[in-house]
Amino acid sequence: MTTATAPGKVILFGEHAVVYGRPAIAIPVRQVHAQAQVDDLPGEPPGRILIEAPNVGRQVWLHEAAADDPLALAVRLALEEIQPKPLPAARIRITSTIPVASGLGSGAAVSIALLRALGAHWKKPLTNERVSALAFQVEKLHHGTPSGIDNTVIAFEQPVYFRRGHPGESIRVGSPLDLVVAVSDRPSPTAAAVTQVRERWQADRAAVEALLGSISDLVVEARPALEAAELGTLGALMDQNHALLARLGVSTPALDRLVEAARSAGGAGAKLSGAGLGGNIIAAADPRHLADIELALQRAGAVQTIHLQVGP
Ligand code: PMV
């Protein structure tokens, strides 16, 4: 038996703009994770692979899975990459504590846990670069034009400054910085939000490009502030990023309510994170206010709150 895990992630700054070539910053969230377990299936003919995801009630044989099944695609990519000989029979069991379709990188984390477990089980461990590149292929199933930020931050498990088509640059956060993630009660498949933004961009390219440019400017400003863990600056930039995302059309009254609750309870700043239209929000906070903020977020409708710390 072999197991491997991969963390969740949140985007601190720059979501959506990153799809259009602008930079973004994301961090891993180790409080939640996906896990894959691989066992040999000695009684089965070579090449027979059973994929199980009990959390979502799925059980499918690889040879019967549809071409656009993300779990099956991850296994097929692993087989191509690793080329195990003789072809083994195996059972792969996937579990995850990452809320699905909530902007926490559940899809990429599942792919990465699975690729790592298969690499280890078939004695060809995959590098972070390969795992990230293969998971990116699977991300394309979730929405056609992924930026690649999810697979990058999850594969490397480091805060990352990311631009599409470039290797991620890891960010060293100088001193501990406290963040709270609040998951809203509405899941949001990334594809819907990305498509909505694309339609706006097609309808009024100049206006949307101006918004994306403003988001890009504040991501550039956020990087040194994050390195220096300047809470006040980061909070103000988060507030500005949220306002720009709202103008881009991806916030909702429920997300605005969560953001407002975090600010009123002492947060230095807050914004929606990920695709929007549901999913999660994040707030940066002085540790003295964390308990109040988590309580305020739960009262404002969060179904789950996660406290995490970035930094040394
Ligand atoms: O998977 P999510 O919900 O965190 O969204 C990813 C962020 C987007 O910028 C909206 C899409 C992308 O591919 O970067």
Side-chain angles (χ1 to χ4, degrees), residues 99-104 181-194 196 249-258 272-281 297-298 300-304:
V100 175
S102 297
L104 289 167
V181 177
V183 181
S184 76
D185 63 357
R186 190 165 145 197
S188 166
T190 309
V194 170
Q196 183 179 304
V250 293
S251 193
T252 63
L255 293 175
D256 290 343
R257 206 159 39 245
L258 289 171
L272 76 83
S273 171
L277 301 180
N280 78 83
I281 69 112
L297 286 167
Q298 284 151 14
V303 293
Q304 186 178 352

Side-chain angles (χ1 to χ4, degrees), residues 9 11 14-19 101-105 139 143 145-150 188-190 193-194 273-276 280:
K9 71 99 215 328
I11 297 181
E15 49 275 271
H16 286 293
V18 69
V19 175
S102 297
L104 289 167
E139 287 290 283
H143 68 103
T145 56
S147 64
I149 192 168
D150 282 21
S188 166
T190 309
V194 170
S273 171
N280 78 83

Side-chain angles (χ1 to χ4, degrees), residues 71-85:
L71 295 178
L73 177 58
V75 178
R76 289 180 182 127
L77 290 167
L79 279 166
E80 239 172 73
E81 179 85 6
I82 300 165
Q83 311 220 340
K85 287 193 185 75

